[in-house]
Amino acid sequence: MALPLGEWVLALDGSSLPDKALIGGKAWSVARMSALGLSVPPAFVITTRACAHFLAEGMEPDSLADEIDAGIAWLESRTGRTFGKGPRPLLVSVRSGAAISMPGMMDTVLNLGITDATEAELATDFGDAGFARDTHRRFLDLYTHIVLKGDLEIDPAGDPSGWRAAIERETGQGVPTDVRAQLKSAIRAVFESWNSRRARRYREHHGIPHDLGTAVAVQAMVFGNEGDRSGTGVLFSRNPLSGAPEAYGEYLGGAQGEDIVSGKHTPKPLVAMRETMPEVHDELLAAARKLEQENRDVQDIEFTVQGGKLYLLQTRAAKRSPRAAARIAVDMVAEGMIDAGEALSRVSSEQVRILLSPQLAEGSADRISPALTGEAASPGVGVGVVVMDSDEAERRAGLGETVVLARATTSPNDLHGMIAACAILTEHGGSTSHAAVVGRALGRPCVVGCGEGTLAAFEGQTVTVDGQAGKIYSGALPVVTPREEDDAVLRQLSAWASERASIVVTSSSGGGDAIDFDENVEEASALFASLPRGATVSGALFANDASAVRSAIAAGAATIVTKPVLPALLVAAERPNEI
């Protein structure tokens, strides 16, 4: 079990792979990559059991502080650096990591361990005072927002004493100069973020239990903001929009991961790194191929380059658009990576419903110039009224209005508005920004990087968002509904699902009698209770509600008539442990 440092903390030395439920997905990926011999900064993890204790008791376990000290000592021995002092100071990141991936929903603090004294030591160590000052500013910015809950933009032109004074005025609290006090507060903030509004809303939307808790990974920092041959990026082992079997990602030189995730900076395509550091680019692609083969799924990899050396920070199964989910599942069967049953389990009925939802009618935009263009981040078409505030989007959607959420950038605090919207627009950010990643996970059309100050002019107007093309049109353009039988990937999924389905699902009753649930949708529960065994049931309800399909099967129905067929067929093909 890795290297136990007590009851609550494990050092991730790569010697074994602890249970993901205990150490969370982020730490699990660190342990996995270490075991595979990939370049990973050393880390230790505070387990989900410690989080559960904190949430139940309102305080950390008694022995946790000593175990964290042991973890820091282990990091010091692995890096040759010292936490809180020179001549080679150790800085750490403090990252949340639940067993089930919840991208962007919980909190992270980077560059922890820097003070006025360690800034000076860091400047001497790297020979770059500007880098050390920038790192100090980055820490104070995140600590203020995550730990102190302040809303303060820190002026890069300032200095640490001025920054700290401004933070104390804003929050009523000072930033500790004791690095262990910094660490304790950051860990507590990560524990508390498990029950933040955005995290709870995300779990409710995705059916994730509230009692899992999060682990906390404490990892030695590597610095993407250190010099010309440094940077940070995100790589997908396959295209998460289309499913094409090609690497896809972004890179931002002279930056840290928060710069990309926040959407405040627009990164460059991954090819930019190939042009400046071809050997690092090739090493990254080789690592991506290895991780995809080992994990048998598309990987979403966060990486940092420091001084021309590649470090992998995390890998996880990639969030992908509905189109990508279907294509990748079919392709991986053809490649011998997974079997047909596994492929079906990776494509949900909801994703197929989104795939078969309306798209722009052919030629409808040929003679119309888009009102605005940006970067395509999640495919699909959404038509609605532009709303600039997430609370307003949720309110108006609740009244039955179709809305498009437009923001400068999105953050986890916008999740409720993103769920309510039919499409998402941002002024800043790229295809791996928060808006893009969450948009793909939700199946919402999304266009990012539309440009500073471009969206406010559309507030209150009806627009058509084409997330595949990255274009926004004024007004409501004509749309069409795709046919599942015209799509080779969906036909293959249908064939596999038909072989495994526990009930016949068809688009035609063949002239026989069927019990129509659409005419009696409000009495559906009573109809299921009185349904004769072997009955044929019909209605759009079964294409749009997975629970209705399960109820029909449980009631003993023999045939479901609905259209489109595949969403209901996928549910009918579920195995008991998948339900």
Side-chain angles (χ1 to χ4, degrees):
M1 155 98 42
L3 177 63
L5 300 177
E7 185 178 356
W8 312 100
V9 176
L10 297 171
L12 302 174
D13 63 354
S15 62
S16 64
L17 200 58
D19 187 352
K20 190 179 290 187
L22 179 67
I23 67 171
K26 197 177 304 285
W28 189 91
S29 78
V30 169
R32 177 73 163 158
M33 292 189 294
S34 297
L36 292 173
L38 298 172
S39 178
V40 185
F44 67 87
V45 61
I46 303 164
T47 64
T48 56
R49 290 179 58 246
C51 179
H53 182 286
F54 174 83
L55 295 175
E57 304 296 331
M59 63 181 66
E60 297 85 351
D62 291 340
S63 62
L64 183 60
D66 289 341
E67 294 180 29
I68 291 170
D69 284 344
I72 290 293
W74 183 80
L75 289 183
E76 290 175 335
S77 69
R78 295 293 292 260
T79 62
R81 295 182 170 276
T82 306
F83 189 53
K85 61 181 180 180
R88 301 183 68 232
L90 169 68
L91 273 57
V92 299
S93 62
V94 180
R95 301 174 183 267
S96 61
I100 299 173
S101 179
M102 296 170 53
M105 290 304 110
M106 292 178 294
D107 290 332
T108 293
V109 178
L110 305 180
N111 305 301
L112 191 144
I114 197 163
T115 63
D116 290 351
T118 52
E119 178 192 324
E121 297 286 0
L122 200 67
T124 301
D125 184 22
F126 285 90
D128 188 342
F131 151 71
R133 178 58 53 86
D134 179 58
T135 301
H136 199 162
R137 178 191 60 80
R138 290 171 178 273
F139 164 69
L140 291 174
D141 181 70
L142 278 176
Y143 192 92
T144 299
H145 286 87
I146 302 303
V147 180
L148 302 182
K149 312 303 181 189
D151 185 16
L152 176 69
E153 290 298 323
I154 295 180
D155 181 5
D159 60 71
S161 62
W163 293 333
R164 288 174 181 270
I167 292 167
E168 189 159 3
R169 286 194 301 271
E170 166 70 18
T171 67
Q173 305 174 70
V175 178
T177 55
D178 181 328
V179 295
R180 280 175 166 74
Q182 293 177 4
L183 182 57
K184 179 180 179 179
S185 296
I187 291 168
R188 174 171 281 226
V190 172
F191 281 161
E192 290 173 342
S193 72
W194 174 256
N195 277 331
S196 66
R197 177 192 179 194
R198 63 181 186 260
R200 293 188 68 86
R201 184 66 185 272
Y202 185 94
R203 292 196 297 271
E204 288 163 2
H205 183 76
H206 290 277
I208 300 171
H210 288 306
D211 60 357
L212 296 180
T214 183
V216 182
V218 180
Q219 189 170 35
M221 278 294 301
V222 287
F223 302 101
N225 60 324
E226 192 272 308
D228 295 337
R229 287 177 55 78
S230 300
T232 189
V234 177
L235 170 71
F236 295 87
S237 57
R238 301 190 190 209
N239 189 308
L241 281 75
S242 67
E246 58 194 15
Y248 176 94
E250 295 177 325
Y251 177 76
L252 189 60
Q256 293 189 353
E258 186 66 19
D259 296 325
I260 288 183
V261 173
S262 69
K264 294 179 180 179
H265 302 268
T266 300
K268 297 179 180 179
L270 198 64
V271 68
M273 189 174 80
R274 185 178 67 193
E275 292 169 355
T276 57
M277 293 182 284
E279 70 290 350
V280 179
H281 178 269
D282 291 347
E283 182 185 356
L284 176 62
L285 295 191
R289 289 191 293 270
K290 183 172 188 175
L291 288 167
E292 181 177 280
Q293 287 289 332
E294 290 288 338
N295 293 309
R296 300 185 309 113
D297 202 355
V298 184
Q299 297 298 290
D300 170 359
I301 302 165
E302 296 178 16
F303 66 91
T304 288
V305 181
Q306 177 183 310
K309 179 172 175 56
L310 174 69
Y311 295 92
L312 305 181
L313 305 182
Q314 171 177 296
T315 189
R316 59 191 172 198
K319 301 295 182 185
R320 62 209 77 173
S321 73
R323 165 56 59 192
R327 176 174 177 178
I328 289 166
V330 171
D331 282 354
M332 285 191 166
V333 174
E335 295 164 17
M337 197 176 297
I338 60 175
D339 61 24
E342 178 69 18
L344 291 173
S345 74
R346 293 185 180 184
V347 183
S348 70
S349 58
E350 174 65 19
Q351 287 174 317
V352 173
R353 281 193 290 274
I354 293 168
L355 256 183
L356 297 174
S357 63
Q359 300 176 5
L360 283 181
E362 186 174 354
S364 64
D366 287 353
R367 293 180 174 84
I368 302 174
S369 297
L372 199 61
T373 60
E375 183 171 354
S378 182
V381 173
V383 180
V385 176
V386 174
V387 175
M388 302 291 292
D389 178 78
S390 291
D391 291 339
E392 180 71 359
E394 184 178 50
R395 185 188 70 80
R396 291 171 67 167
L399 295 174
E401 190 172 2
T402 304
V403 299
V404 172
L405 178 65
R407 303 280 289 159
T409 64
T410 65
S411 76
N413 294 326
D414 292 304
L415 179 67
H416 58 297
M418 299 171 80
I419 291 172
C422 73
I424 301 160
L425 306 173
T426 67
E427 294 179 351
H428 306 294
S431 63
T432 55
S433 65
H434 176 270
V437 171
V438 176
R440 287 193 291 272
L442 294 175
R444 301 293 189 269
C446 180
V447 179
V448 299
C450 295
E452 176 76 35
T454 56
L455 297 179
F458 295 91
E459 185 172 10
Q461 297 183 24
T462 296
V463 299
T464 299
V465 178
D466 184 348
Q468 182 70 44
K471 297 178 179 179
I472 301 98
Y473 298 92
S474 293
L477 298 190
V479 295
V480 296
T481 301
R483 288 164 23 105
E484 57 192 322
E485 55 267 34
D486 294 339
D487 188 304
V489 169
L490 298 187
R491 289 201 305 271
Q492 180 62 79
L493 290 171
S494 294
W496 290 333
S498 294
E499 294 170 359
R500 292 163 174 76
S502 55
I503 190 172
V504 174
V505 184
T506 180
S507 61
S508 172
S509 62
D513 292 332
I515 300 170
D516 189 343
F517 273 68
D518 283 352
E519 294 182 359
N520 303 279
V521 68
E522 293 183 355
E523 290 80 38
S525 296
L527 279 178
F528 284 128
S530 61
L531 198 68
R533 296 195 69 81
T536 296
V537 297
S538 68
L541 171 70
F542 299 100
N544 295 309
D545 186 347
S547 65
V549 178
R550 297 185 187 115
S551 295
I553 294 170
T559 303
I560 293 174
V561 181
T562 192
K563 195 169 184 179
V565 169
L566 185 53
L569 195 55
L570 286 171
V571 181
E574 290 174 341
R575 295 296 178 256
N577 63 346
E578 297 171 359
I579 298 175

